[in-house]
Amino acid sequence: MTSLTIRRPDDWHLHLRDGDMLKGVLPYTSAHFARAVIMPNLVPPVVTTADAQAYRERIMAALPAGDRFQPLMTLYLTEGTNPDDVEEGAKSGLVTAVKLYPAGATTNSNSGVRNFENAMPVLERMAKIGLPLCIHGEVTTPEVDIFDREAVFIETVLDPLRKRLPELRITLEHVTTADGIDYINASKANLAGSITTHHLIINRNNILVGGIRPHYYCLPIAKRENHRQALRKAATSGNPKFFLGTDSAPHVDPLKECACGCAGCFTSINTMSCLAHVFEEEGALDKLEAFASLNGPAWYRLAPNEERTTLVKRDTPVEFPPRIETGAGPVTVFDPLFKSHWDVT
Ligand code: DOR
Ligand code: ZN
């Protein structure tokens, strides 16, 4: 196959940041994606419907002229979040989901949830109105090894929460383990999982062998090879419970290449090219549309995009810049360690 036409994809988990960084990275998303679920972990975080409205306006103002793109806003769940405000945001159509960061789990998660009891009134309201909860599924207890944080979260937090609130619709975001895939596969309903591009491509060796490679450091951290294989199998299965959420998370190079580097891979620019390469490797190009364009909208109860995107396999590899320049500084582009011939036209 040398050409593939699919419905225009969406990104169900994206960090756009704000200000100069927003202006620098948004064009790479709006070039390829019709919609994206926008993460609220700004400083200060996007907590209220009014915050989300203002952030949405800043995103629309940063959009290149002529691009059509719809940001799907999320609210950052805190222990003080007001259920009425969440319901109002959801009913107005502005708010697509609420995001749960366990406090301390990742970038700007300090306002996240420490005691889940305090978040129950909001979660109960969300269950009632059918608003999905997007979860960064990692425990933050220091005793738990960083490579086990996802599996322990599923057992000790997610499963009890789902038993307590079976009606709550949950997206387990950026699944990185076979444990996560198995748990989602075994669940009857009300649970879906997003998978990033980079977790389909790297395992933990890529971060650590031959020197520390900060541009592969992200959270949840990439795991062993058997987990990557489980993610590939799920993503290419066509199973509607799994869909693309790139978690493209730009940080300027000085904040990645230092003694305590930030977590995140910037993949918006080459995600579709990389995914076509991966799906072809797996003999599953016919499942790319389900993963990138159909399963996400179905889960979020939105119509799939009507526009089409064509990917063309070139004779020579498609070149991407090693880094992009933004007004905030240089941002290194995710290196998939292969050359993809798939070009988005
Ligand atoms: O790698 C990551 N980067 N994981 C996250 O959960 C947050 C993100 C960021 O905001 O930088
Ligand atoms: Zn993220």
Side-chain angles (χ1 to χ4, degrees):
M1 207 191 279
T2 56
S3 165
L4 177 67
T5 297
I6 60 173
R7 285 185 190 254
R8 192 167 171 79
D10 303 303
D11 183 350
W12 299 95
H13 180 132
L14 175 67
H15 298 269
L16 283 177
R17 317 301 189 197
D18 215 339
D20 288 337
M21 181 64 92
L22 166 64
K23 286 194 189 71
V25 298
L26 177 59
Y28 298 104
T29 287
S30 61
H32 293 164
F33 296 93
R35 299 171 286 200
V37 168
I38 310 300
M39 287 300 118
N41 61 334
L42 306 181
V43 191
V46 178
V47 173
T48 64
T49 292
D51 294 341
Q53 178 66 40
Y55 185 30
R56 186 181 196 281
E57 282 163 20
R58 297 199 296 282
I59 294 168
M60 294 313 282
L63 197 60
D67 276 14
R68 271 184 300 147
F69 173 72
Q70 201 186 344
L72 304 172
M73 307 310 290
T74 60
L75 301 181
Y76 186 122
L77 181 64
T78 70
E79 291 180 20
T81 295
N82 176 349
D84 293 336
D85 183 61
V86 170
E87 179 164 359
E88 205 175 293
K91 295 232 157 110
S92 76
L94 175 76
V95 172
T96 296
V98 171
K99 173 75 187 229
L100 166 67
Y101 290 103
T106 187
T107 312
N108 303 332
S109 61
N110 281 336
S111 318
V113 175
R114 286 183 168 76
N115 180 352
F116 279 77
E117 225 34 68
N118 295 331
M120 285 315 286
V122 182
L123 299 180
E124 281 160 10
R125 184 73 65 90
M126 290 169 62
K128 192 169 154 216
I129 65 175
L131 187 68
L133 179 70
C134 292
I135 298 189
H136 182 112
E138 291 193 286
V139 292
T140 54
T141 7
E143 296 75 45
V144 177
D145 188 275
I146 189 168
F147 291 98
D148 299 333
R149 284 175 157 199
E150 183 173 294
V152 174
F153 182 91
I154 290 168
E155 196 187 318
T156 62
V157 182
L158 182 58
D159 195 57
L161 175 63
R162 292 186 62 240
K163 291 205 166 102
R164 186 160 167 192
L165 264 183
E167 300 302 312
L168 183 63
R169 308 180 67 234
I170 295 176
T171 313
L172 184 59
E173 301 206 280
H174 41 52
V175 182
T176 59
T177 58
D179 312 65
I181 299 295
D182 291 347
Y183 184 76
I184 293 168
N185 272 325
S187 77
K188 285 209 182 64
N190 281 4
L191 181 67
S194 69
I195 301 177
T196 77
T197 307
H198 50 283
H199 288 111
L200 295 174
I201 295 172
I202 58 165
N203 64 29
R204 65 192 201 175
N205 278 9
N206 296 113
I207 313 169
L208 296 169
V209 171
I212 293 179
R213 303 185 192 268
H215 296 290
Y216 293 129
Y217 174 63
C218 64
L219 290 171
I221 197 159
K223 310 294 193 296
R224 285 175 182 272
E225 176 62 9
N226 62 304
H227 295 288
R228 186 181 75 109
Q229 293 300 338
L231 298 175
R232 281 197 169 213
K233 194 169 162 212
T236 58
S237 66
N239 182 339
K241 287 179 168 179
F242 299 105
F243 46 82
L244 173 65
T246 66
D247 199 11
S248 181
H251 293 277
V252 293
D253 285 347
L255 294 181
K256 293 283 296 174
E257 299 167 3
C258 58
C260 184
C262 294
C265 299
F266 174 64
T267 59
S268 303
I269 181 172
N270 57 356
T271 275
M272 290 312 297
S273 177
C274 289
L275 286 176
H277 181 97
V278 166
F279 276 64
E280 185 176 42
E281 272 183 351
E282 297 293 323
L285 272 174
D286 61 324
K287 299 294 195 310
L288 181 59
E289 184 178 44
F291 182 66
S293 315
L294 298 174
N295 297 347
W299 168 248
Y300 282 100
R301 298 178 175 164
L302 297 167
N305 298 309
E306 283 305 328
E307 305 84 28
R308 300 303 197 263
T309 293
T310 297
L311 292 127
V312 175
K313 192 174 183 184
R314 306 281 183 210
D315 293 336
T316 52
V318 182
E319 297 294 338
F320 293 97
R323 65 189 60 76
I324 60 160
E325 293 300 332
T326 74
V331 174
T332 290
V333 170
F334 174 70
D335 176 1
L337 301 165
F338 55 67
K339 294 277 187 193
S340 174
H341 289 244
W342 288 94
D343 198 6
V344 183
T345 61

